């Protein structure tokens, strides 16, 4: 399998060195793909037409609504795809904002509890996942996971539950992305000590399993057909059976801290870049090196993994590759 | 983001500043006594207990403007004088060196080793002045106490916070270019060869396990890089071999003419008003209030000028071309509410600056180093 580089998409400002700093939303009915990349206190959004001829840009700042105080640094921006709507979620030092998918209207704001006097413990939200029909889950620096109940339309979004399992800052979260309804586990959350929690969604989320870390941050996680794919600060990727925690495989994938990994849900391609099919067949498919760039975001642009995109620290472009 | 960046910012940037000043003082054939006095005075101020305590309070990283103001004050905590053009170049060299170290740092935890390399070198500068040496040791102990317990994830957050702070800075530094660690576009070269960081395995291996945890298959795959096993880990103690070289004095073997910098002026700079200005000025007032006003008895001494340029002609050319100021340091409109308390404190500090002896500055530079603060205060009104 070979990929070749396509024309990059220019963005208005460069990507910040944050985990999972690229989100992609494919809008098939309109032949458009949206991309979002975080730059400090702003999100660069680009809407790209599939024919490559039209690009439009928008920038969002993280700001408490109706307040003119400074905006805060954004940790992550990601689209959450629910059956009836797509929501763009921004997480920052101050709170969580939710927008309609084109970024035009903010539909919800949740402020984080910040102490009067700053403490050494940083306060922020990070880790975003849409779960099943109506939940958006967001992680917090304290280790809590906030579960929001999202109606099929409108702004009546409510905080329905707070999951207190992790003791270290949440780094990433992922929901089951294969589309299979047979999988029991719906959500996996990861933290700075590499601990993984596996959940089943519902009126009350249920903790199904805890997979212990090895004192190394798990910075990026995915859940596919009941398998957790986790990337660590050591450059290693591990595959676990979510429900039992049994380790399937371990890949010495990279020489540096992994910032992002993604799965193409229809094909099981893992961007980093391996194909994974059960049982236990892992085949390395492809390598690419982006010269002199610290990659901070990597996403497949479609369900089959035909195309993928990456962002790099200090780069003002989204680099794209498609299968040759 | 991380609330504990400032002590490391000052130690690393301050360390780079001392390396550069040491090189310039030697290049200008400054008398050994004067050189030693400059180094002692700056280091004593930087490692002053109260100053460090202020930095250690949990807070956001400063803006470039605020940081540069405090570093300028630090540089002038001695009989040495720098005009604006030289201070600009000094700041560029400092931040680009720090950015290089941050980017190439193998693991986030190695940022501490880089900081300790700077402290080790600073210790050498003041090895003959026991009182200042003691301050450096005390500060080092404090830094070890505060930062050692941080997890790798927390140190990565700290590193990410600093990378955001240094984002979009691509000043070309001539000896980085010469050594091919920086490309002509100002971006640093990220090598894909060499030892992997401590705790990381060489890429290229897949291990597959049975349900009982037994390894049943091993596959190798080709990788783009050419990596080798990690080398031994450096010492995080007060003394010891740090192993990694980032943060050591790059300038000691560098000819002075290789500290040229040039900016790509097509790059955007942040010209938005800084709504945090009032908060930062409060912090600055507290921080600078804590910096000892040294050399009160310097009325009889004459300060001397240090230039960051190889020749007077080069300096004049840079100044004349209008490139002496980074656009982000020009006067910007600060939309902040007036705070008479802050203004009084800053006026008091600015007043103390003017008591020190000044070398006449060239007409195109500020004649009074308190002018920066006074300019800021004027904009508030």
């Amino acid at each position: 399998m070979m990929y070749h580089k396509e024309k990059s998409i220019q963005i208005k400002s460069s990507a910040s060195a944050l985990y999972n700093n690229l989100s992609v939303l494919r809008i098939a009915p309109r032949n458009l793909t949206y991309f979002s990349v975080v730059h400090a206190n702003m999100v660069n959004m680009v809407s790209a037409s599939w024919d490559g001829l039209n690009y439009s840009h928008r920038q969002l700042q993280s700001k408490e609504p109706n307040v003119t105080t400074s905006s805060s640094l954004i940790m992550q921006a990601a689209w959450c795809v629910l059956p009836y709507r797509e929501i763009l979620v921004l997480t920052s030092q101050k709170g969580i904002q939710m927008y309609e998918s084109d970024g035009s209207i903010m539909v919800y704001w949740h402020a984080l509890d910040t102490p009067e006097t700053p403490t050494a413990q940083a306060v922020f939200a990070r880790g975003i996942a849409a779960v099943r029909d109506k939940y958006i889950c967001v992680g917090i620096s304290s280790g809590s996971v906030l579960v929001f109940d999202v109606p099929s339309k409108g702004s009546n979004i409510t905080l329905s539950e707070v999951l207190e399992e992790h003791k270290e800052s949440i780094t990433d979260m992922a929901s089951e992305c294969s589309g299979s309804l047979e999988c029991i586990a719906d959500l996996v959350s990861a933290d700075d000590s590499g601990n993984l929690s596996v959940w089943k969604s519902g009126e009350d989320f249920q903790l199904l399993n805890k997979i212990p870390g090895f004192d190394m941050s798990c910075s990026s996680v995915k859940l596919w057909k009941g398998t957790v794919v986790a990337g660590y600060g050591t450059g290693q990727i591990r595959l676990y059976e979510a429900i039992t925690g049994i380790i399937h495989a371990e890949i010495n994938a990279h020489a540096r801290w992994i910032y992002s990994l993604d799965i193409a849900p229809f094909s099981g391609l893992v961007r980093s870049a391996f194909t994974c099919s059960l049982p236990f067949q892992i085949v390395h498919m492809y390598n690419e090196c982006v010269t002199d760039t610290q990659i901070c975001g990597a996403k497949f642009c479609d369900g089959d993994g035909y195309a993928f995109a990456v962002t790099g620290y200090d780069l003002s472009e989204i680099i794209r590759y498609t299968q040759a | 983001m991380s609330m504990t960046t400032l002590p490391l910012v000052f130690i690393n940037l301050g360390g780079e500043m001392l390396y550069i000043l040491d090189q310039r003082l030697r290049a200008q054939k400054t008398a050994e006594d004067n050189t030693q006095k400059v180094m002692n005075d700056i280091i004593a101020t930087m490692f002053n207990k109260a100053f460090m305590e202020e930095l250690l309070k949990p807070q956001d990283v400063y803006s470039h403007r605020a940081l540069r103001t405090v570093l300028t004050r630090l540089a002038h905590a001695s009989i040495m004088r720098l005009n604006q053009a030289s201070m600009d170049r000094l700041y560029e060299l400092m931040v680009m060196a720090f950015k290089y170290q941050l980017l190439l740092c193998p693991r986030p935890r190695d940022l501490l080793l880089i900081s300790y390399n700077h402290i080790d070198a600073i210790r050498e500068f003041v090895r003959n002045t026991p009182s200042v040496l003691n301050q450096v040791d005390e500060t080092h102990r404090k830094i070890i106490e505060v930062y050692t317990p941080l997890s790798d994830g927390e140190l990565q957050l700290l590193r990410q916070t600093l990378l955001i702070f240094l984002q979009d800075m691509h000043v070309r530094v001539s000896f980085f270019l010469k050594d091919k660690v920086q490309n002509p576009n100002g971006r640093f070269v990220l090598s894909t060869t060499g030892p992997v960081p401590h705790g990381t395995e060489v890429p290229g291996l897949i291990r597959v396990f049975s349900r009982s945890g037994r390894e049943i298959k091993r596959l190798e795959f080709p990788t783009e890089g050419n990596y080798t096993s990690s080398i031994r880990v450096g010492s995080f103690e007060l003394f010891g071999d740090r192993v990694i070289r980032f943060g050591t004095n790059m300038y000691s073997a560098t000819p002075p003419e290789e500290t040229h910098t040039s900016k790509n002026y097509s790059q955007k700079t942040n010209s938005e008003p800084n709504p945090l200005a009032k908060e930062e000025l409060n912090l600055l007032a507290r921080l600078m209030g804590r910096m000892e006003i040294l050399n009160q008895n310097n009325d009889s001494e004459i300060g001397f000028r240090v230039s960051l340029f190889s020749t007077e002609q080069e300096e004049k050319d840079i100044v004349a071309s209008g490139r002496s100021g980074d656009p982000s340091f020009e006067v910007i409109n600060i939309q902040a509410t007036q705070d008479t308390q802050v203004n009084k404190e800053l006026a008091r500090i600015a007043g103390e600056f003017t008591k020190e002896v000044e070398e006449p500055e060239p007409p195109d530079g500020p004649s009074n180093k308190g002018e920066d603060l006074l300019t800021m205060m004027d904009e508030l009104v």
Side-chain angles (χ1 to χ4, degrees), chain B residues 49 61 284 314 326 347 362 364 372 377:
Chain B
K49 188 162 182 268
V61 66
L284 266 178
E314 189 205 343
D326 184 303
D364 48 10
D372 272 356
M377 288 162 56

Side-chain angles (χ1 to χ4, degrees), chain A residues 242-312:
Chain A
I243 300 294
T244 59
I246 292 173
I247 185 165
H248 288 320
E250 191 180 87
I251 306 164
N252 296 339
H254 293 283
R256 291 289 186 276
W257 197 289
I258 290 177
Y259 262 62
S260 184
L261 56 85
D262 193 26
I263 288 190
F266 304 153
S267 62
L269 266 176
V270 177
R271 165 75 198 109
S272 199
F274 300 85
T275 193
C276 161
S277 62
L278 296 173
F280 317 135
Q281 273 206 19
I282 298 171
V283 177
H284 170 259
M285 302 298 289
Y286 181 69
N287 272 329
E288 178 63 54
C289 182
V290 187
T291 312
D292 297 335
T293 301
Q294 184 190 288
I295 294 186
C296 49
K299 272 279 186 298
F300 283 110
C301 299
D302 60 274
D304 290 302
Y306 173 75
F308 67 86
V310 297
T311 56

Side-chain angles (χ1 to χ4, degrees), chain A residues 11-19 38-42 61 68-71 73-75 93 118-124 126 168-169 192 215-217 233-236 241 244 246-257 259 274 280-284 287-289 291-294 313-316, chain B residues 1-4 58-60 99 102-108 151-154 156-157 159-170 183 187-193 195-213 216-217 219-224 227 268 272 275-276:
Chain A
I11 45 177
K12 294 290 185 195
S13 48
S14 59
S16 291
L18 298 163
Y19 301 144
V38 176
H39 170 94
N41 60 346
M42 250 179 342
Q61 272 201 324
T68 52
T69 51
S70 62
S71 55
L73 289 176
I74 299 176
M75 302 299 288
Q93 291 174 277
T119 62
Q121 160 83 31
V123 176
F124 55 84
R126 181 175 61 186
E168 304 292 327
S169 299
D192 253 342
D215 263 339
M216 173 46 68
S217 184
T234 49
Q236 214 178 49
E241 184 177 73
T244 59
I246 292 173
I247 185 165
H248 288 320
E250 191 180 87
I251 306 164
N252 296 339
H254 293 283
R256 291 289 186 276
W257 197 289
Y259 262 62
F274 300 85
F280 317 135
Q281 273 206 19
I282 298 171
V283 177
H284 170 259
N287 272 329
E288 178 63 54
C289 182
T291 312
D292 297 335
T293 301
Q294 184 190 288
Y313 168 65
D314 251 354
L315 279 193
S316 299
Chain B
M1 300 297 278
S2 177
M3 304 298 265
T4 52
Q59 57 197 309
D60 278 316
K99 186 171 183 175
L102 270 174
L103 260 176
L104 271 83
C105 192
R107 311 172 297 167
S151 69
D152 290 307
E154 285 169 308
Q156 177 69 288
L157 183 73
R159 181 176 171 272
Q160 289 174 338
T161 308
L162 292 175
L163 285 175
I164 291 174
F165 174 67
L166 296 172
Q167 200 158 342
D168 301 323
M169 296 193 70
H170 302 296
N183 292 318
R187 293 167 192 279
F188 290 111
V189 174
L190 299 181
S191 170
T192 53
T193 61
V196 291
H198 190 79
T200 293
E201 300 289 335
V202 175
L205 182 67
I206 304 171
R207 298 167 71 206
V208 182
F209 302 93
S210 69
R211 290 191 71 81
S212 60
I216 54 174
K217 205 192 302 188
L219 303 157
E220 286 187 13
F221 60 90
T223 60
E224 286 292 310
Y227 295 103
K268 287 186 293 195
E272 285 178 20
L276 281 174

Side-chain angles (χ1 to χ4, degrees), chain B residues 129-248:
Chain B
T129 317
S131 57
V132 185
L133 185 59
N134 192 49
Q135 275 177 255
V136 175
D137 282 343
E138 279 311 304
T139 304
H140 195 174
R141 280 192 194 94
K142 188 73 190 165
I143 297 289
I144 289 172
E145 185 192 311
V146 167
Y147 288 97
T148 303
L150 295 187
S151 69
D152 290 307
E154 285 169 308
L155 287 165
Q156 177 69 288
L157 183 73
L158 199 158
R159 181 176 171 272
Q160 289 174 338
T161 308
L162 292 175
L163 285 175
I164 291 174
F165 174 67
L166 296 172
Q167 200 158 342
D168 301 323
M169 296 193 70
H170 302 296
V171 178
R172 292 180 292 265
V173 178
S174 51
F175 69 82
F176 281 150
L177 294 169
K178 181 171 96 64
D179 280 353
K180 302 214 186 314
V181 301
Q182 190 179 31
N183 292 318
N185 63 6
R187 293 167 192 279
F188 290 111
V189 174
L190 299 181
S191 170
T192 53
T193 61
V196 291
H198 190 79
T200 293
E201 300 289 335
V202 175
L205 182 67
I206 304 171
R207 298 167 71 206
V208 182
F209 302 93
S210 69
R211 290 191 71 81
S212 60
R214 192 171 53 87
E215 185 185 305
I216 54 174
K217 205 192 302 188
R218 208 170 245 247
L219 303 157
E220 286 187 13
F221 60 90
T223 60
E224 286 292 310
N226 185 13
Y227 295 103
T228 54
S229 298
S230 66
I231 54 179
R232 71 192 187 289
V233 69
S235 165
F236 288 87
E237 305 298 320
L238 201 63
F239 301 99
D241 181 5
R242 312 297 176 194
V243 178
I244 65 169
R245 305 294 302 149
F246 298 117
T248 55

Side-chain angles (χ1 to χ4, degrees), chain B residues 29-311:
Chain B
K29 299 190 177 8
T30 310
E32 180 58 35
D33 282 353
N34 278 345
T35 301
Q36 195 56 57
K37 186 157 177 42
V38 167
M39 302 303 270
N40 281 351
D41 287 348
I42 295 176
I43 294 169
T45 308
M46 209 171 113
F47 286 83
N48 173 273
K49 188 162 182 268
F51 181 73
M52 267 296 156
E53 264 170 14
E54 195 61 47
L55 292 180
L56 279 162
K57 288 180 185 166
Q59 57 197 309
D60 278 316
V61 66
Y62 284 1
S63 66
H64 279 283
R65 188 181 175 90
L67 190 59
R68 192 173 172 281
T69 304
V70 181
L71 285 165
T72 303
R73 178 69 186 89
L74 256 182
H76 288 146
S78 68
I79 53 174
M80 178 197 68
R81 295 295 171 263
L82 293 164
N83 64 19
Q84 178 157 339
S86 280
M87 192 61 219
D88 288 346
R89 174 163 285 184
L90 180 60
Y91 191 73
E92 284 169 1
L93 286 168
M94 281 194 266
V95 297
M96 289 312 292
F98 189 33
K99 186 171 183 175
Y100 168 64
Q101 290 152 15
L102 270 174
L103 260 176
L104 271 83
C105 192
R107 311 172 297 167
R109 190 166 294 278
D110 293 337
L111 177 55
L112 299 183
L113 293 176
I114 292 172
S115 310
Y116 300 164
N117 270 332
H118 282 112
I119 297 178
D120 290 343
I122 289 168
R123 211 182 253 118
E124 264 306 295
F125 284 135
V126 293
R127 66 185 179 281
N128 295 324
T129 317
S131 57
V132 185
L133 185 59
N134 192 49
Q135 275 177 255
V136 175
D137 282 343
E138 279 311 304
T139 304
H140 195 174
R141 280 192 194 94
K142 188 73 190 165
I143 297 289
I144 289 172
E145 185 192 311
V146 167
Y147 288 97
T148 303
L150 295 187
S151 69
D152 290 307
E154 285 169 308
L155 287 165
Q156 177 69 288
L157 183 73
L158 199 158
R159 181 176 171 272
Q160 289 174 338
T161 308
L162 292 175
L163 285 175
I164 291 174
F165 174 67
L166 296 172
Q167 200 158 342
D168 301 323
M169 296 193 70
H170 302 296
V171 178
R172 292 180 292 265
V173 178
S174 51
F175 69 82
F176 281 150
L177 294 169
K178 181 171 96 64
D179 280 353
K180 302 214 186 314
V181 301
Q182 190 179 31
N183 292 318
N185 63 6
R187 293 167 192 279
F188 290 111
V189 174
L190 299 181
S191 170
T192 53
T193 61
V196 291
H198 190 79
T200 293
E201 300 289 335
V202 175
L205 182 67
I206 304 171
R207 298 167 71 206
V208 182
F209 302 93
S210 69
R211 290 191 71 81
S212 60
R214 192 171 53 87
E215 185 185 305
I216 54 174
K217 205 192 302 188
R218 208 170 245 247
L219 303 157
E220 286 187 13
F221 60 90
T223 60
E224 286 292 310
N226 185 13
Y227 295 103
T228 54
S229 298
S230 66
I231 54 179
R232 71 192 187 289
V233 69
S235 165
F236 288 87
E237 305 298 320
L238 201 63
F239 301 99
D241 181 5
R242 312 297 176 194
V243 178
I244 65 169
R245 305 294 302 149
F246 298 117
T248 55
N249 191 347
M250 297 180 290
Y251 302 89
S252 51
T254 306
E257 58 271 16
E258 286 180 3
T259 54
H260 289 183
T261 59
S262 63
K263 280 196 274 288
N264 176 352
Y265 280 90
S266 64
Q267 286 158 15
K268 287 186 293 195
T269 51
N270 183 6
S271 57
E272 285 178 20
N274 178 9
L276 281 174
K278 175 168 168 252
E279 206 176 300
E280 279 189 342
L281 287 170
N282 281 335
L283 290 169
L284 266 178
R286 280 209 319 270
L287 200 58
M288 292 165 98
R290 291 208 185 268
M291 285 163 75
E292 289 180 46
I293 310 297
L294 295 173
N295 305 318
Q296 294 278 6
N297 58 350
N298 263 4
D299 289 351
S300 59
E301 292 183 58
I302 297 171
F304 63 93
R305 231 181 115 231
V306 169
S307 171
L308 269 280
F309 300 91
S310 306
T311 61

